[in-house]
Amino acid sequence: MPQFDEEDSNDTFKILIATDNHLGYLEKDPIRGHDSFNTFEEILQIADAEKVDFVLLGGDLFHHNRPSRSCLYQTMRMLRHHCFGNRPSKVWIASDQSVNFPDEFATANYLDENMNVSIPIFSIHGNHDDPSGVGNLCALHLLSISGMVNYFGASSSVEDVVVQPILMQKGDNRLALYGLGNIREERLHRQWRAGRVTFMRPEPDENGAHSEWLDTFNLFVFHQNRARHGPTSHIPEEFLDSFLDLVFWGHEHECRITPEDYQNFAVTQPGSSVATSLSQGEAEAKHVGLLRINKNREYRLDKIRLRTVRPFQFTSVSLGRVESLRPSDHESTQSYLEGVVESLIERARVDWEEQQQEAYQLNDLRSTDMPLPLIRIRVDYSGGFEKFNPQQFGYKFIDRVANPKDMLMFQKLHPDERSNRRATDLISDVSIAIPERLDNLKVEDLVSEMLSHDLTILPESGLEEAVMSLVEKNDKDAIRNFVTKTVSLTKNNISDLTEDQLSEEYIKRKVAEVKESSQQQDSLSSLQTSNNSPGSISNNTPALQTPQESQNRAVANRTAPITRTSRDTDDDIAIIPTSTAKTPMRRRRETSGASTQDSIRKKRRQVEEDDDEDYSEVNQNQPSSSSRARGKRAAVSSSRPSQQDSTFSSQASYVISDSGDENHGLNTDSRITPKPSLTTYSETLSVQATPTTQERRRRVLPSASQPRKR
């Protein structure tokens, strides 16, 4: 971590970071139902006491994809009580807010003239509260539209992921806040490896104007697996761009908040604020972080221990290693485990007192009496010992422990051995207790194994996603919509033939073509994205450009001469984002009026017509239309340009208009007439064609200067 130099608070960002609050977890439990709300309110109290510039949440604010009305009510009550007020903010946003917050209002809540917000909250979504269902909405959309939370980081496409920064300035200090909400691990891993994750970056023009943005501190928050659960079920640190300064990692519940250096950036993992599983990682002390960033791109992260977190003690016991125990003596075994529980309760009491001393000292304190602790004992009963009913064992501690029914977890196999077992074998193993089987089984593993066989009509990957939407998001229409869409597509691709002409072989062949066509669609999408070439559209307005990383400089040097254009705009806010530059292949398709996909469809229909004419000639020895169609598609795919050295992400540019006003406060009357700029750095193609005027108009994104609805 760079050495932090304490400077004027007017130039230092002060941010409270927290993640995985899981509001509504076990809300109907009479003992643990208020744990998530109590801790989240403590986090808001700390933010108020420290007078932070804003609170940054790393996803999973809610535990359920569709939180209950009671959960939403309590959440909105706390946000209104602690975050609304008249304290002015010294932070202004320079980027295009219609891109950062793509809703009807298109502005941060604390910059809305109709609202008084003293503590802004910026949040991305996690895997528990991600958008789904009709309208692709989530609970954060409700909080955002009501002006309580600034929801950002939702990618509009999972095929081409573009990460747009929120450019902030406080005094002479500048911050680029990047956010990416949760995307399914395997999909995002595949897109990152294919170089289809793009980070938009500020860049200067050839005159070097606005050079002060070259020293922007880059903070990235996202919500994905950090621990390796499979070949593609996590995001390695190597995928992240080296231009980042600090990565705020959500989703992982274990608290590793102290920044860990990795190459050119550091990673902080605050962990969850409430225990949602009785695992060893959840037993660690819970913290939030107070992040300070000065104008020299130096930062300091102070960890703050939370006071209201319910104490949790975890331990492992191997009965075979206890000399005084015999497999035939069941009473002595239970008595021994009762003693272990007593010792853990006493240890929880000691840790609670230590927690109260280390926690942030708030003036508005509630009762400091220790709540009932969580206890989990992993019992290895190998060596002839027999397991017993854990619920009956827990009745003795029903008034002393918060989870008396599941304190004990029996196991025989080593965890490493169990992790290598198939999901179906684990769920059907009657020798393992049901709670233990559920603790060690992941729904995605079971679904993936059950759907690993080749299906006849339904694509396996699509069905797996539909099942996961049903299980994780309670989307009851996911499977029905998927099956209806797939069957309808299959029917449309089967020619109108009589029952006598239809045969099982013909139907299977046509169904196989539909499945293959769906895979070819993904392949074509990859082809279009991989052919994105570097280029830019500039104007007389000064632009900002950060020096490219060593891995991108070679690509930047190969860019074609920039093409200039102009556009009349109204007066409004400062930043105009750029969109991805179109490749020569895309331009050829636009000018000719026919795409590669259209050509493939025409050829495929021609092949099918020829095949239908010859359908009655059964004895002729000719290749099937499926084989010929595959040959034609393969010929098209083989014509794609060769890909350059693989990279994991690309970077694009912003244009910042010059207001000509030294006072960058919230209330300004300066007239700003920005002009759009378009630049994308990609490492998959070194050829750049000069676009026509008509194409440039099509590529310009709307700026924030357009009138916004109120």
Side-chain angles (χ1 to χ4, degrees):
M1 180 187 301
Q3 184 178 1
F4 183 81
D5 184 14
E6 191 73 37
E7 295 185 359
D8 188 0
S9 60
N10 294 326
D11 295 330
T12 301
F13 281 100
K14 198 173 184 181
I15 310 167
L16 186 70
I17 62 173
T19 183
D20 292 88
N21 308 109
H22 288 275
L23 297 177
Y25 176 69
L26 293 181
E27 60 180 330
K28 296 182 180 180
D29 189 289
I31 298 177
R32 304 167 61 185
H34 294 281
D35 287 0
S36 61
F37 300 105
N38 293 338
T39 305
F40 185 67
E41 186 162 21
E42 180 189 1
I43 294 174
L44 296 180
Q45 290 174 346
I46 295 174
D48 189 14
E50 285 290 339
K51 307 298 181 185
V52 298
D53 293 318
F54 60 89
V55 177
L56 181 61
L57 303 179
D60 279 353
L61 175 62
F62 295 98
H63 183 71
H64 299 288
N65 189 263
R66 300 178 181 180
S68 65
R69 282 177 290 183
S70 174
C71 178
L72 285 174
Y73 170 79
Q74 296 188 61
T75 303
M76 299 175 77
R77 176 190 61 81
M78 289 186 291
L79 293 175
R80 180 174 178 178
H81 181 73
H82 296 285
C83 298
F84 284 19
N86 295 322
R87 182 167 65 91
S89 175
K90 300 179 181 179
V91 178
W92 67 281
I93 296 179
S95 55
D96 186 354
Q97 297 186 64
S98 65
V99 175
N100 300 138
F101 316 109
D103 54 23
E104 181 181 356
F105 300 97
T107 183
N109 59 354
Y110 72 100
L111 297 178
D112 192 332
E113 59 184 8
N114 298 316
M115 306 190 71
N116 286 338
V117 178
S118 60
I119 305 178
I121 294 181
F122 292 84
S123 178
I124 62 173
H125 68 257
N127 59 308
H128 281 257
D129 53 5
D130 58 332
S132 63
V134 179
N136 198 34
L137 300 175
C138 64
L140 286 174
H141 281 105
L142 301 180
L143 299 182
S144 176
I145 204 68
S146 61
M148 294 187 171
V149 169
N150 299 300
Y151 173 39
F152 74 110
S155 178
S156 58
S157 171
V158 295
E159 297 297 335
D160 298 298
V161 180
V162 179
V163 186
Q164 302 275 2
I166 303 176
L167 300 183
M168 300 180 173
Q169 181 164 349
K170 182 180 180 181
D172 295 331
N173 195 3
R174 293 165 182 83
L175 170 67
L177 175 60
Y178 294 86
L180 180 61
N182 179 266
I183 300 176
R184 188 179 175 188
E185 306 294 341
E186 291 77 7
R187 184 186 296 273
L188 183 60
H189 187 103
R190 182 172 64 252
Q191 302 301 79
W192 223 310
R193 290 184 63 89
R196 297 165 68 178
V197 177
T198 304
F199 284 83
M200 305 290 285
R201 300 189 60 189
E203 69 167 14
D205 63 357
E206 61 274 8
N207 297 325
H210 298 280
S211 59
E212 64 272 11
W213 282 90
L214 295 176
D215 294 330
T216 303
F217 187 91
N218 300 287
L219 173 62
F220 178 41
V221 52
F222 74 136
H223 190 100
Q224 303 291 153
N225 277 340
R226 186 181 183 186
R228 181 184 177 93
H229 299 286
T232 60
S233 60
H234 71 297
I235 303 299
E237 288 88 346
E238 300 87 44
F239 283 13
L240 303 177
D241 282 86
S242 57
F243 80 92
L244 298 172
D245 295 296
L246 182 63
V247 176
F248 172 15
W249 208 304
H251 183 63
E252 299 290 349
H253 283 208
E254 181 181 359
C255 183
R256 295 165 56 184
I257 194 170
T258 302
E260 303 171 6
D261 293 331
Y262 184 87
Q263 293 183 355
N264 296 329
F265 57 86
V267 178
T268 177
Q269 179 181 304
S272 65
S273 60
V274 61
T276 59
S277 65
L278 300 179
S279 60
Q280 188 171 3
E282 294 272 24
E284 300 293 332
K286 303 291 186 182
H287 295 82
V288 294
L290 186 59
L291 177 63
R292 294 180 174 89
I293 305 171
N294 64 19
K295 61 182 180 181
N296 298 323
R297 294 184 64 178
E298 300 170 343
Y299 69 94
R300 186 180 75 193
L301 182 59
D302 299 326
K303 61 180 183 180
I304 300 176
R305 188 167 182 179
L306 296 172
R307 176 188 299 273
T308 57
V309 176
R310 185 179 297 274
F312 175 29
Q313 295 296 322
F314 181 96
T315 190
S316 299
V317 173
S318 179
L319 300 179
R321 297 183 179 181
V322 181
E323 298 180 355
S324 60
L325 297 181
R326 297 293 180 267
S328 58
D329 192 353
H330 304 295
E331 294 183 0
S332 61
T333 301
Q334 294 192 26
S335 299
Y336 172 78
L337 293 176
E338 291 175 4
V340 174
V341 174
E342 292 288 351
S343 63
L344 292 179
I345 294 176
E346 183 60 30
R347 189 196 302 178
R349 194 181 312 279
V350 175
D351 286 353
W352 174 260
E353 296 177 356
E354 179 182 352
Q355 176 179 335
Q356 301 307 302
Q357 296 176 359
E358 296 179 357
Y360 192 91
Q361 301 300 322
L362 294 169
N363 296 328
D364 184 16
L365 292 178
R366 298 182 180 179
S367 175
T368 58
D369 295 338
M370 185 187 78
L372 299 180
L374 294 170
I375 303 294
R376 172 53 70 94
I377 305 175
R378 188 188 311 172
V379 182
D380 182 6
Y381 65 102
S382 58
F385 291 88
E386 295 183 2
K387 58 184 179 181
F388 47 85
N389 191 336
Q391 296 187 10
Q392 185 177 1
F393 174 83
Y395 287 155
K396 302 177 183 179
F397 302 93
I398 197 169
D399 293 328
R400 304 179 59 195
V401 175
N403 60 322
K405 296 182 179 180
D406 56 356
M407 289 190 301
L408 304 181
M409 182 180 67
F410 291 96
Q411 69 172 22
K412 273 190 176 181
L413 293 177
H414 191 273
D416 295 338
E417 298 177 0
R418 180 177 292 108
S419 62
N420 296 327
R421 300 183 62 183
R422 296 191 307 171
T424 53
D425 294 338
L426 183 61
I427 196 64
S428 59
D429 190 354
V430 295
S431 64
I432 305 177
I434 293 179
E436 182 185 356
R437 279 183 268 171
L438 297 178
D439 286 341
N440 292 277
L441 179 67
K442 293 185 177 180
V443 178
E444 54 266 29
D445 295 337
L446 184 61
V447 172
S448 178
E449 182 181 344
M450 297 296 293
L451 299 180
S452 60
H453 308 290
D454 187 19
L455 302 180
T456 304
I457 297 179
L458 301 178
E460 292 81 359
S461 59
L463 181 57
E464 182 178 347
E465 292 182 3
V467 174
M468 294 303 299
S469 297
L470 173 63
V471 174
E472 293 184 348
K473 305 175 186 177
N474 196 26
D475 188 356
K476 299 179 181 180
D477 298 329
I479 297 180
R480 182 181 62 184
N481 294 338
F482 166 73
V483 173
T484 302
K485 179 181 178 181
T486 306
V487 173
S488 176
L489 181 62
T490 304
K491 289 181 178 180
N492 294 336
N493 281 268
I494 296 179
S495 303
D496 296 333
L497 300 176
T498 63
E499 294 183 1
D500 297 336
Q501 293 175 318
L502 287 175
S503 66
E504 183 178 357
E505 180 183 357
Y506 176 79
I507 295 177
K508 287 184 178 180
R509 176 160 51 85
K510 302 299 293 184
V511 167
E513 290 180 11
V514 174
K515 289 184 63 177
E516 185 180 359
S517 174
S518 126
Q519 297 174 356
Q520 289 292 333
Q521 293 293 336
D522 295 339
S523 176
L524 286 172
S525 178
S526 301
L527 175 65
Q528 294 172 1
T529 304
S530 62
N531 286 330
N532 285 342
S533 60
S536 64
I537 294 179
S538 183
N539 52 63
N540 296 328
T541 303
L544 298 179
Q545 180 179 14
T546 28
Q548 300 300 316
E549 305 299 327
S550 58
Q551 62 180 2
N552 295 325
R553 283 178 183 148
V555 179
N557 294 332
R558 294 196 295 267
T559 57
I562 55 178
T563 305
R564 300 186 179 275
T565 185
S566 62
R567 178 184 175 191
D568 295 333
T569 57
D570 299 334
D571 57 307
D572 206 336
I573 216 162
I575 285 271
I576 302 173
T578 63
S579 63
T580 304
K582 297 182 179 179
T583 65
M585 179 178 292
R586 289 180 179 174
R587 297 191 186 99
R588 288 197 299 271
R589 284 201 296 267
E590 289 179 356
T591 55
S592 62
S595 66
T596 304
Q597 282 183 297
D598 295 336
S599 176
I600 291 176
R601 294 192 187 100
K602 291 180 180 179
K603 293 178 181 179
R604 186 182 305 160
R605 284 197 296 269
Q606 182 65 35
V607 171
E608 292 172 357
E609 292 174 0
D610 297 341
D611 184 68
D612 293 339
E613 293 176 358
D614 300 336
Y615 181 76
S616 58
E617 303 176 8
V618 181
N619 297 326
Q620 292 185 3
N621 185 15
Q622 294 181 354
S624 66
S625 64
S626 175
S627 301
R628 283 178 284 177
R630 284 197 298 269
K632 292 180 182 295
R633 287 191 292 271
V636 175
S637 299
S638 63
S639 65
R640 60 184 294 180
S642 59
Q643 188 171 348
Q644 301 289 337
D645 296 339
S646 61
T647 56
F648 299 126
S649 66
S650 56
Q651 301 162 6
S653 70
Y654 271 87
V655 171
I656 299 181
S657 65
D658 191 357
S659 63
D661 188 1
E662 296 297 332
N663 183 14
H664 298 292
L666 298 180
N667 298 324
T668 175
D669 297 330
S670 60
R671 296 288 178 175
I672 303 175
T673 57
K675 299 180 180 180
S677 170
L678 183 58
T679 306
T680 299
Y681 290 98
S682 177
E683 301 190 14
T684 57
L685 194 63
S686 61
V687 182
Q688 173 65 35
T690 303
T692 64
T693 303
Q694 182 178 3
E695 290 170 341
R696 287 199 303 268
R697 293 174 181 172
R698 193 181 299 115
R699 289 159 50 188
V700 173
L701 290 181
S703 70
S705 61
Q706 294 181 350
R708 293 195 300 269
K709 297 180 180 180
R710 287 291 182 187

PDB file of all heavy atoms in Angstrom, residues 317-329 332-333 336 385:
ATOM      1  N   VAL A 317     -13.764 -31.362  15.458  1.00  0.00           N
ATOM      2  CA  VAL A 317     -13.462 -32.395  16.454  1.00  0.00           C
ATOM      3  C   VAL A 317     -13.365 -33.737  15.741  1.00  0.00           C
ATOM      4  O   VAL A 317     -14.242 -34.083  14.939  1.00  0.00           O
ATOM      5  CB  VAL A 317     -14.548 -32.460  17.552  1.00  0.00           C
ATOM      6  CG1 VAL A 317     -14.313 -33.652  18.469  1.00  0.00           C
ATOM      7  CG2 VAL A 317     -14.564 -31.170  18.351  1.00  0.00           C
ATOM      8  N   SER A 318     -12.298 -34.491  16.003  1.00  0.00           N
ATOM      9  CA  SER A 318     -12.137 -35.853  15.492  1.00  0.00           C
ATOM     10  C   SER A 318     -12.272 -36.811  16.669  1.00  0.00           C
ATOM     11  O   SER A 318     -11.396 -36.867  17.542  1.00  0.00           O
ATOM     12  CB  SER A 318     -10.773 -36.022  14.808  1.00  0.00           C
ATOM     13  OG  SER A 318     -10.606 -37.340  14.339  1.00  0.00           O
ATOM     14  N   LEU A 319     -13.394 -37.514  16.707  1.00  0.00           N
ATOM     15  CA  LEU A 319     -13.656 -38.399  17.850  1.00  0.00           C
ATOM     16  C   LEU A 319     -12.625 -39.500  17.967  1.00  0.00           C
ATOM     17  O   LEU A 319     -12.307 -39.953  19.077  1.00  0.00           O
ATOM     18  CB  LEU A 319     -15.059 -38.997  17.716  1.00  0.00           C
ATOM     19  CG  LEU A 319     -16.221 -37.996  17.686  1.00  0.00           C
ATOM     20  CD1 LEU A 319     -17.542 -38.730  17.532  1.00  0.00           C
ATOM     21  CD2 LEU A 319     -16.228 -37.139  18.948  1.00  0.00           C
ATOM     22  N   GLY A 320     -12.083 -39.970  16.850  1.00  0.00           N
ATOM     23  CA  GLY A 320     -11.110 -41.055  16.899  1.00  0.00           C
ATOM     24  C   GLY A 320      -9.799 -40.658  17.538  1.00  0.00           C
ATOM     25  O   GLY A 320      -9.020 -41.532  17.936  1.00  0.00           O
ATOM     26  N   ARG A 321      -9.521 -39.364  17.658  1.00  0.00           N
ATOM     27  CA  ARG A 321      -8.265 -38.907  18.246  1.00  0.00           C
ATOM     28  C   ARG A 321      -8.393 -38.577  19.730  1.00  0.00           C
ATOM     29  O   ARG A 321      -7.423 -38.163  20.349  1.00  0.00           O
ATOM     30  CB  ARG A 321      -7.765 -37.672  17.490  1.00  0.00           C
ATOM     31  CG  ARG A 321      -7.439 -37.953  16.031  1.00  0.00           C
ATOM     32  CD  ARG A 321      -6.881 -36.714  15.352  1.00  0.00           C
ATOM     33  NE  ARG A 321      -6.542 -36.978  13.952  1.00  0.00           N
ATOM     34  CZ  ARG A 321      -6.016 -36.077  13.134  1.00  0.00           C
ATOM     35  NH1 ARG A 321      -5.791 -34.843  13.580  1.00  0.00           N
ATOM     36  NH2 ARG A 321      -5.741 -36.400  11.892  1.00  0.00           N
ATOM     37  N   VAL A 322      -9.592 -38.727  20.278  1.00  0.00           N
ATOM     38  CA  VAL A 322      -9.792 -38.490  21.713  1.00  0.00           C
ATOM     39  C   VAL A 322      -9.607 -39.819  22.430  1.00  0.00           C
ATOM     40  O   VAL A 322     -10.387 -40.761  22.251  1.00  0.00           O
ATOM     41  CB  VAL A 322     -11.191 -37.902  21.985  1.00  0.00           C
ATOM     42  CG1 VAL A 322     -11.367 -37.635  23.476  1.00  0.00           C
ATOM     43  CG2 VAL A 322     -11.392 -36.621  21.181  1.00  0.00           C
ATOM     44  N   GLU A 323      -8.578 -39.921  23.237  1.00  0.00           N
ATOM     45  CA  GLU A 323      -8.211 -41.197  23.857  1.00  0.00           C
ATOM     46  C   GLU A 323      -9.269 -41.710  24.826  1.00  0.00           C
ATOM     47  O   GLU A 323      -9.440 -42.917  24.987  1.00  0.00           O
ATOM     48  CB  GLU A 323      -6.872 -41.052  24.584  1.00  0.00           C
ATOM     49  CG  GLU A 323      -5.712 -40.691  23.666  1.00  0.00           C
ATOM     50  CD  GLU A 323      -4.415 -40.569  24.437  1.00  0.00           C
ATOM     51  OE1 GLU A 323      -4.472 -40.684  25.691  1.00  0.00           O
ATOM     52  OE2 GLU A 323      -3.359 -40.350  23.801  1.00  0.00           O
ATOM     53  N   SER A 324      -9.967 -40.832  25.482  1.00  0.00           N
ATOM     54  CA  SER A 324     -10.930 -41.262  26.496  1.00  0.00           C
ATOM     55  C   SER A 324     -12.249 -41.766  25.909  1.00  0.00           C
ATOM     56  O   SER A 324     -13.105 -42.242  26.660  1.00  0.00           O
ATOM     57  CB  SER A 324     -11.221 -40.110  27.460  1.00  0.00           C
ATOM     58  OG  SER A 324     -11.755 -38.994  26.760  1.00  0.00           O
ATOM     59  N   LEU A 325     -12.439 -41.655  24.582  1.00  0.00           N
ATOM     60  CA  LEU A 325     -13.705 -42.047  23.972  1.00  0.00           C
ATOM     61  C   LEU A 325     -13.598 -43.430  23.338  1.00  0.00           C
ATOM     62  O   LEU A 325     -12.554 -43.800  22.787  1.00  0.00           O
ATOM     63  CB  LEU A 325     -14.126 -41.025  22.912  1.00  0.00           C
ATOM     64  CG  LEU A 325     -14.407 -39.603  23.400  1.00  0.00           C
ATOM     65  CD1 LEU A 325     -14.843 -38.721  22.246  1.00  0.00           C
ATOM     66  CD2 LEU A 325     -15.471 -39.605  24.493  1.00  0.00           C
ATOM     67  N   ARG A 326     -14.691 -44.182  23.437  1.00  0.00           N
ATOM     68  CA  ARG A 326     -14.801 -45.498  22.818  1.00  0.00           C
ATOM     69  C   ARG A 326     -16.016 -45.486  21.901  1.00  0.00           C
ATOM     70  O   ARG A 326     -17.069 -44.930  22.258  1.00  0.00           O
ATOM     71  CB  ARG A 326     -14.937 -46.592  23.869  1.00  0.00           C
ATOM     72  CG  ARG A 326     -13.748 -46.726  24.797  1.00  0.00           C
ATOM     73  CD  ARG A 326     -12.514 -47.222  24.016  1.00  0.00           C
ATOM     74  NE  ARG A 326     -11.351 -47.367  24.882  1.00  0.00           N
ATOM     75  CZ  ARG A 326     -10.447 -46.426  25.058  1.00  0.00           C
ATOM     76  NH1 ARG A 326     -10.604 -45.250  24.444  1.00  0.00           N
ATOM     77  NH2 ARG A 326      -9.408 -46.619  25.835  1.00  0.00           N
ATOM     78  N   PRO A 327     -15.925 -46.131  20.728  1.00  0.00           N
ATOM     79  CA  PRO A 327     -17.060 -46.112  19.790  1.00  0.00           C
ATOM     80  C   PRO A 327     -18.345 -46.673  20.377  1.00  0.00           C
ATOM     81  O   PRO A 327     -19.438 -46.247  19.993  1.00  0.00           O
ATOM     82  CB  PRO A 327     -16.558 -46.966  18.622  1.00  0.00           C
ATOM     83  CG  PRO A 327     -15.066 -46.878  18.701  1.00  0.00           C
ATOM     84  CD  PRO A 327     -14.746 -46.803  20.159  1.00  0.00           C
ATOM     85  N   SER A 328     -18.253 -47.607  21.314  1.00  0.00           N
ATOM     86  CA  SER A 328     -19.457 -48.230  21.864  1.00  0.00           C
ATOM     87  C   SER A 328     -20.103 -47.411  22.975  1.00  0.00           C
ATOM     88  O   SER A 328     -21.257 -47.660  23.340  1.00  0.00           O
ATOM     89  CB  SER A 328     -19.119 -49.629  22.401  1.00  0.00           C
ATOM     90  OG  SER A 328     -18.096 -49.559  23.393  1.00  0.00           O
ATOM     91  N   ASP A 329     -19.406 -46.422  23.512  1.00  0.00           N
ATOM     92  CA  ASP A 329     -19.915 -45.619  24.623  1.00  0.00           C
ATOM     93  C   ASP A 329     -20.527 -44.330  24.065  1.00  0.00           C
ATOM     94  O   ASP A 329     -19.849 -43.322  23.876  1.00  0.00           O
ATOM     95  CB  ASP A 329     -18.785 -45.302  25.600  1.00  0.00           C
ATOM     96  CG  ASP A 329     -19.304 -44.729  26.908  1.00  0.00           C
ATOM     97  OD1 ASP A 329     -20.521 -44.450  26.993  1.00  0.00           O
ATOM     98  OD2 ASP A 329     -18.499 -44.548  27.838  1.00  0.00           O
ATOM     99  N   SER A 332     -20.717 -41.146  26.684  1.00  0.00           N
ATOM    100  CA  SER A 332     -19.479 -40.388  26.874  1.00  0.00           C
ATOM    101  C   SER A 332     -19.189 -39.507  25.657  1.00  0.00           C
ATOM    102  O   SER A 332     -18.649 -38.395  25.799  1.00  0.00           O
ATOM    103  CB  SER A 332     -18.315 -41.342  27.124  1.00  0.00           C
ATOM    104  OG  SER A 332     -18.133 -42.202  26.018  1.00  0.00           O
ATOM    105  N   THR A 333     -19.561 -39.983  24.483  1.00  0.00           N
ATOM    106  CA  THR A 333     -19.348 -39.173  23.279  1.00  0.00           C
ATOM    107  C   THR A 333     -20.197 -37.908  23.327  1.00  0.00           C
ATOM    108  O   THR A 333     -19.705 -36.801  23.052  1.00  0.00           O
ATOM    109  CB  THR A 333     -19.688 -39.987  22.023  1.00  0.00           C
ATOM    110  OG1 THR A 333     -18.856 -41.148  21.971  1.00  0.00           O
ATOM    111  CG2 THR A 333     -19.472 -39.158  20.769  1.00  0.00           C
ATOM    112  N   TYR A 336     -18.856 -35.519  25.919  1.00  0.00           N
ATOM    113  CA  TYR A 336     -17.655 -34.823  25.447  1.00  0.00           C
ATOM    114  C   TYR A 336     -18.038 -33.648  24.540  1.00  0.00           C
ATOM    115  O   TYR A 336     -17.489 -32.543  24.671  1.00  0.00           O
ATOM    116  CB  TYR A 336     -16.747 -35.800  24.709  1.00  0.00           C
ATOM    117  CG  TYR A 336     -15.571 -35.134  24.031  1.00  0.00           C
ATOM    118  CD1 TYR A 336     -14.450 -34.733  24.762  1.00  0.00           C
ATOM    119  CD2 TYR A 336     -15.581 -34.892  22.657  1.00  0.00           C
ATOM    120  CE1 TYR A 336     -13.385 -34.116  24.135  1.00  0.00           C
ATOM    121  CE2 TYR A 336     -14.525 -34.280  22.023  1.00  0.00           C
ATOM    122  CZ  TYR A 336     -13.420 -33.889  22.771  1.00  0.00           C
ATOM    123  OH  TYR A 336     -12.363 -33.278  22.158  1.00  0.00           O
ATOM    124  N   PHE A 385     -17.325 -44.842  15.247  1.00  0.00           N
ATOM    125  CA  PHE A 385     -18.309 -44.065  16.008  1.00  0.00           C
ATOM    126  C   PHE A 385     -19.605 -43.931  15.209  1.00  0.00           C
ATOM    127  O   PHE A 385     -19.599 -43.939  13.979  1.00  0.00           O
ATOM    128  CB  PHE A 385     -17.763 -42.683  16.353  1.00  0.00           C
ATOM    129  CG  PHE A 385     -16.648 -42.699  17.356  1.00  0.00           C
ATOM    130  CD1 PHE A 385     -15.332 -42.846  16.952  1.00  0.00           C
ATOM    131  CD2 PHE A 385     -16.918 -42.588  18.710  1.00  0.00           C
ATOM    132  CE1 PHE A 385     -14.300 -42.869  17.871  1.00  0.00           C
ATOM    133  CE2 PHE A 385     -15.893 -42.605  19.641  1.00  0.00           C
ATOM    134  CZ  PHE A 385     -14.575 -42.751  19.219  1.00  0.00           C
TER     135      PHE A 385
END
